Amino acid sequence: MPAVTVENPLTLPRVAAPATRAGHQPARPRPVLNVTTAPSGPEGEGFPVRRA
């Protein structure tokens, strides 16, 4: 049995605006601090991989 039942499972309700926490302003985008390249190296049979 599904947790939520709707008439048409292909439609979802629309959110009018971002939710706010009890009396707080909506969250604002934060600036990017830096962009980093993941370390890479060979794995197993020499396949290149990137690590998180």
Side-chain angles (χ1 to χ4, degrees):
M1 172 183 256
V4 177
T5 305
V6 294
E7 291 180 20
N8 182 353
L10 299 178
T11 61
L12 296 173
R14 299 290 178 205
V15 177
T20 60
R21 295 180 291 152
H24 291 92
Q25 296 294 326
R28 61 188 161 124
R30 297 184 293 175
V32 174
L33 295 179
N34 62 21
V35 178
T36 306
T37 303
S40 60
E43 178 73 23
E45 296 292 323
F47 295 101
V49 295
R50 290 187 177 238
R51 302 281 180 206

